Amino acid sequence: MITSVASAILYVSDQDSALEFYRDVLGFDVVMDAEMEEDSRWLEVRPSGARTSLVLAAAAAFGKQPGEGAYLTFAADDVAATVEQLRARGARTSEVTREPWGTYATVDAPDGHKLQFNERPQN
């Protein structure tokens, strides 16, 4: 039986650059960094304490283009504070938007990926 989402794959042009962004800017933990086949590497990261991870896959090794992959939304406790923190680390973010369903912003990631993070209204 399927119980949860294990990971999402993001196709990137440079795994080391992607790792620097997700680890050093977003603060993710490295789950695994291991060789796969010839010229390939399994590079998996996730937010601290999270169950779902991102696999930062070398696009060329899989016949993909950088930027192909899922549009990802992460949960955040405080979107406005997260925007400030990410900007202090050198990231480009959108302004904070408040909607009836919640508050969100986006951050520009390598290879044209745009990541959203949101907080839901308290019930």
Side-chain angles (χ1 to χ4, degrees):
M1 177 183 279
I2 296 172
T3 59
S4 65
V5 175
S7 61
I9 296 173
L10 292 180
Y11 293 104
V12 300
S13 60
D14 182 314
Q15 287 178 297
D16 290 324
S17 293
L19 176 60
E20 287 177 15
F21 175 79
Y22 288 93
R23 182 191 58 210
D24 302 339
V25 175
L26 295 186
F28 286 16
D29 296 329
V30 175
V31 175
M32 180 163 306
D33 188 351
E35 288 186 30
M36 289 173 61
E37 298 172 8
E38 206 172 300
D39 297 326
S40 194
R41 170 181 173 200
W42 185 268
L43 180 56
E44 187 175 354
V45 297
R46 70 175 169 217
S48 184
R51 293 179 59 187
T52 303
S53 61
L54 298 179
V55 177
L56 307 174
F62 295 96
K64 301 288 187 178
Q65 293 295 315
E68 281 188 57
Y71 186 85
L72 301 172
T73 300
F74 297 99
D77 293 332
D78 183 334
V79 168
T82 301
V83 164
E84 288 180 27
Q85 182 181 50
L86 293 177
R87 287 179 178 170
R89 293 178 181 167
R92 290 187 329 194
T93 71
S94 69
E95 296 301 320
V96 174
T97 301
R98 288 173 173 64
E99 298 281 349
W101 60 265
T103 302
Y104 71 94
T106 61
V107 59
D108 294 339
D111 295 309
H113 292 288
K114 197 171 274 296
L115 309 175
Q116 184 183 86
F117 46 98
N118 67 38
E119 62 184 280
R120 304 285 186 182
Q122 305 263 334
N123 291 332

